[in-house]
Amino acid sequence: MQFENSGPADAPETARSVSSLDGMAVLTASEMRDAEARAIAGGTPGAVLMERAGAAVIAALFEHWSQLSSGGRACVLCGPGGNGGDGYAVARQLAMRGWTVRLHALAPARHADAAGQARLWSEMGAIKEWERAGESVEGADLVVDALFGIGLTRPLGPEFDRVLAAGAQRVLAIDLPSGLCSDSGRVIGERCFDADLTVSFHTPKRGHILAEGPARCGALDIRSIGLPEEGGFVKLTRRPERLGKRAGHKYGHGHALVLSGGVGRGGAARMAARAALRIGAGLVTLACPPAALQENAARLDAIMLRSLRDAEALKRLLEDSRLNAILLGPGLGTGPREGELVAQALAAARSTVLDADALTLVAGDAALKDALHEGCLLTPHDGEFARLVPDIADRMSGPVASGPAYSRLDAAREAAGRLGCTVLLKGPDTVIAAPSGRAVINAAVHGRAAPWLATAGAGDVLAGIAAGLMARGRDGFAAGQEAAWLHVEAARRFGPGLIAEDLPEMLPAVMREMEL
């Protein structure tokens, strides 16, 4: 379909920005192509979608850099596929707004709609040779990366070195910075563009959220171009629906048991216990070796204390069925006594959160690994994950020679299926995966970044929040995603200077402000 040069089709609608990523589907490249194919089959020509994409990029550009709305010098780099077609549309629309545009094509357009856009551009300006692209980058106020988008499956070659070394003033990537795997957020090979702004369409892609993606993408702007609603894909976490207590006795809201280490090792467990109480568990008990009772008593009031000498004592304690959630790991220790405690806790078949030292014990003991059950939630960081499932971790971190690459999402799902329990793989791109294959991503990136969470003890608090939610009746998958979401919100509310002890104290305000 041809368009007049007077302006983009459906520009007001396509300029609409997706205001919140909360709960949105996170698509693979294949899923995005399917969404586009459904739109085309439903009567929207591909050329119209391409024109809408161009208009959406222009709208995002001027919102992000309002100082450029009066014009400037652009260098547009186009590939041979659909992403290149979007680039030709952007070049034309910039030129119509008075910009000086230099467009360089890596190769002639092979995609039918992209070829149509290339013809429209050629009526306005030249398609310059790739070998001179570096010179245009150096003199541009804006570089538009429309080379590959979500379609790249091979490494960028040395023909990109001159462009990458040119020192662009501003880079806008259409869909995804070239060189990045759309499905994993990992760089394919050794070369990758770094964008200051990435404009993508419909929903975020996994590469925007996972691994290196957020750092490579810069600011992320998702725009609607009128594609059909997505179905049952992997989604980002969303705010919990309801956390407030209903009327009733304290035992109606569960009783969490947190196991602590010995003298001088109780801080992590105390923070976790406080988080469990703050999130709404009716009661929380911290159980510790007899010698550590006095130390913990001096630091705790609302949290109850029990002496716990050994696994036999834990077995007797768990005869009380009201203790319906157990947390083991923070500051626990990794000796034979602690291994027996983990075995006893797993044998009780209660809702169980395993973190820190408990994960180390499980990783080193095949019998403990075999004792894991569906009621368990494991909360490893990358190092603990590598000890639990080293072969899966190797695939997740190994070099990428072609795409789509094996991702953190793939790794967490495979680990959950193998271990038979929910896995919460921690990071800015936390993945929560159930044994069934269900998974969500809790993204503390882009506009929801919380870098202050990189502090000692933050993971212990996350485990405590999850244990408190499990005491209140959540299964491991629901507790994991709600805990991860609230953990980030508490950190964002506090801001810079956060230490782990601050996180439980932020939870009441977060829940009140969110009307949870």
Side-chain angles (χ1 to χ4, degrees):
M1 177 178 287
Q2 298 291 308
F3 291 97
E4 297 296 329
N5 285 348
S6 57
D10 305 320
E13 171 61 22
T14 60
R16 182 171 62 86
S17 177
V18 177
S19 58
S20 173
L21 303 184
D22 209 36
M24 288 191 70
V26 187
L27 303 188
T28 63
S30 175
E31 289 164 347
M32 182 62 184
R33 285 191 285 268
D34 287 346
E36 292 170 340
R38 290 197 305 274
I40 293 169
T44 304
V48 171
L49 294 178
M50 199 165 280
E51 194 73 8
R52 289 177 180 176
V57 170
I58 297 295
L61 164 64
F62 294 147
E63 283 187 22
H64 191 76
W65 289 303
S66 58
Q67 70 272 29
L68 297 181
S69 59
S70 58
R73 297 164 299 173
C75 171
V76 181
L77 308 175
C78 291
N83 195 247
D86 295 342
Y88 287 112
V90 168
R92 196 179 81 254
Q93 294 178 35
L94 284 174
M96 286 189 291
R97 287 164 171 80
W99 279 62
T100 299
V101 180
R102 290 187 175 183
L103 186 147
H104 295 263
L106 179 67
R110 294 195 295 265
H111 185 284
D113 295 323
Q117 289 289 348
R119 287 192 296 271
L120 286 175
W121 165 253
S122 65
E123 296 172 6
M124 302 179 68
I127 299 177
K128 297 180 181 294
E129 65 275 14
W130 179 256
E131 290 72 18
R132 304 293 296 273
E135 298 173 16
S136 297
V137 168
E138 288 176 347
D141 300 305
L142 173 72
V143 174
V144 178
D145 170 11
L147 289 163
F148 296 107
I150 64 173
L152 188 69
T153 58
R154 58 179 175 80
L156 299 183
E159 65 271 23
F160 293 92
D161 287 345
R162 176 71 178 86
V163 169
L164 289 168
Q169 185 174 348
R170 299 177 188 87
V171 177
L172 185 157
I174 299 179
D175 252 344
L176 199 73
S178 295
L180 197 66
C181 173
S182 179
D183 290 358
S184 70
R186 300 171 65 194
V187 174
I188 304 174
E190 299 177 353
R191 298 173 179 86
C192 187
F193 280 71
D194 285 316
D196 300 292
L197 171 65
T198 296
V199 183
S200 193
F201 315 111
H202 188 46
T203 74
K205 314 308 178 289
R206 295 182 186 177
H208 296 141
I209 304 299
L210 296 171
E212 297 176 62
R216 298 285 186 173
C217 288
L220 178 65
D221 192 317
I222 304 295
R223 297 270 159 166
S224 171
I225 57 170
L227 296 181
E229 291 297 317
E230 68 278 351
F233 304 105
V234 171
K235 289 182 169 59
L236 296 173
T237 52
R238 65 191 316 154
R239 54 175 286 173
E241 293 296 324
R242 178 71 178 167
L243 288 177
K245 289 186 173 180
R246 61 188 184 275
H249 193 271
K250 59 192 175 186
Y251 282 105
H253 302 287
H255 189 167
L257 175 65
V258 179
L259 271 59
S260 171
V263 175
R265 294 178 55 87
R270 288 194 296 270
M271 287 190 292
R274 191 165 184 84
L277 195 62
R278 280 292 191 196
I279 205 61
L283 301 98
V284 178
T285 292
L286 188 144
C288 63
L293 276 172
Q294 184 174 354
E295 170 191 326
N296 285 307
R299 302 292 302 276
L300 300 173
D301 291 311
I303 293 164
M304 297 182 290
L305 275 173
R306 291 291 297 267
S307 173
L308 190 71
R309 187 175 299 278
D310 52 25
E312 183 60 34
L314 178 59
K315 181 179 180 180
R316 292 193 299 270
L317 182 58
L318 291 175
E319 291 173 359
D320 183 350
S321 61
R322 295 175 298 182
L323 289 163
N324 64 331
I326 313 169
L327 167 59
L328 305 93
L332 181 66
T334 57
R337 169 187 174 273
E338 289 73 34
E340 292 170 1
L341 291 174
V342 173
Q344 186 59 58
L346 292 174
R350 310 277 168 91
S351 294
T352 305
V353 180
L354 298 173
D355 185 44
D357 289 344
L359 296 174
T360 298
L361 289 164
V362 169
D365 189 323
L368 291 180
K369 194 176 290 187
D370 288 342
L372 296 171
H373 52 81
E374 287 191 356
C376 293
L377 169 64
L378 277 57
T379 58
H381 55 56
D382 283 357
E384 292 159 345
F385 188 81
R387 291 193 287 273
L388 280 166
V389 282
D391 59 322
I392 295 176
D394 285 346
R395 292 175 64 195
M396 180 177 71
S397 59
V400 182
S402 62
Y406 192 73
S407 71
R408 286 172 60 81
L409 176 67
D410 300 320
R413 277 175 150 171
E414 186 173 349
R418 179 185 298 181
L419 298 171
C421 58
T422 300
V423 172
L424 185 155
L425 178 54
K426 292 186 287 198
D429 51 349
T430 292
V431 179
I432 304 99
S436 65
R438 291 177 65 200
V440 294
I441 303 170
N442 185 70
V445 296
H446 300 302
R448 199 169 178 256
W452 318 286
L453 279 173
T455 186
D460 304 318
V461 173
L462 173 64
I465 297 172
L469 290 167
M470 292 173 80
R472 297 187 60 185
R474 305 304 203 266
D475 63 21
F477 186 71
Q481 57 185 307
E482 290 181 356
W485 191 92
L486 289 161
H487 193 236
V488 171
E489 290 304 308
R492 284 173 51 77
R493 191 182 193 281
F494 189 94
L498 174 83
I499 58 175
E501 292 97 312
D502 300 320
L503 287 165
E505 310 318 308
M506 291 294 102
L507 291 171
V510 168
M511 292 188 286
R512 182 172 60 251
E513 290 171 6
M514 301 293 176
E515 298 182 347
L516 297 176

